[in-house]
Amino acid sequence: MRCFLQAKIHSARLTGANVEYNGSVAVCPKLLEASGLLPNERVDIYNIDNGNRLTTYIIEGESGEIGLNGAAALKGSPGDRVIIAAYTWLTAQEMREHIPRVVIVDENNQIAEVRG
């Protein structure tokens, strides 16, 4: 088996960073639905603006929200652009047919395009 991109939300803007919250990344419900990502799923977050990377898990946020919480909040500031990515392990057969889901968002965290 090999590890492949399962889904990602690309160029989302952080709407908040709360170090006092009990950890995780809050993600807009519409973006969760479009990407197929689920609450409590492990994700990597790549901050496009400062290069920071981290691993955490998803919680369902409010409409338009992308918020870093707990220690993750130290890795970004409101307005930073981030990529939220999840990966999956695939067999040789699954690799041939796999197409990751990519959700590209605009500056207001609204869906601009869905691929895959």
Side-chain angles (χ1 to χ4, degrees):
M1 295 186 74
R2 294 170 64 181
C3 190
F4 286 80
L5 178 68
Q6 173 188 326
K8 76 174 179 174
I9 300 169
H10 189 83
S11 289
R13 294 246 178 215
L14 291 179
T15 59
N18 181 357
V19 74
E20 298 304 322
Y21 189 85
N22 194 16
S24 66
V25 61
V27 178
C28 168
K30 288 181 183 178
L31 297 179
L32 290 178
E33 182 178 342
S35 65
L37 297 172
L38 298 171
N40 299 308
E41 186 168 3
R42 178 183 171 164
V43 290
D44 290 335
I45 300 175
Y46 313 120
N47 189 316
I48 296 167
D49 292 318
N50 67 22
N52 283 327
R53 294 171 170 247
L54 66 114
T55 299
T56 189
Y57 62 93
I58 295 171
I59 61 170
E60 187 172 312
E62 301 295 323
S63 180
E65 181 181 15
I66 301 290
L68 294 178
N69 296 305
L74 300 174
K75 299 290 188 176
S77 300
D80 286 357
R81 295 169 299 144
V82 296
I83 298 167
I84 301 170
Y87 298 86
T88 188
W89 290 92
L90 301 174
T91 65
Q93 177 62 35
E94 291 169 326
M95 288 177 220
R96 293 185 194 102
E97 301 169 7
H98 177 69
I99 300 172
R101 176 70 56 101
V102 177
V103 178
I104 300 170
V105 300
D106 66 17
E107 61 278 355
N108 298 309
N109 291 337
Q110 299 300 307
I111 298 168
E113 182 180 352
V114 177
R115 300 177 187 162

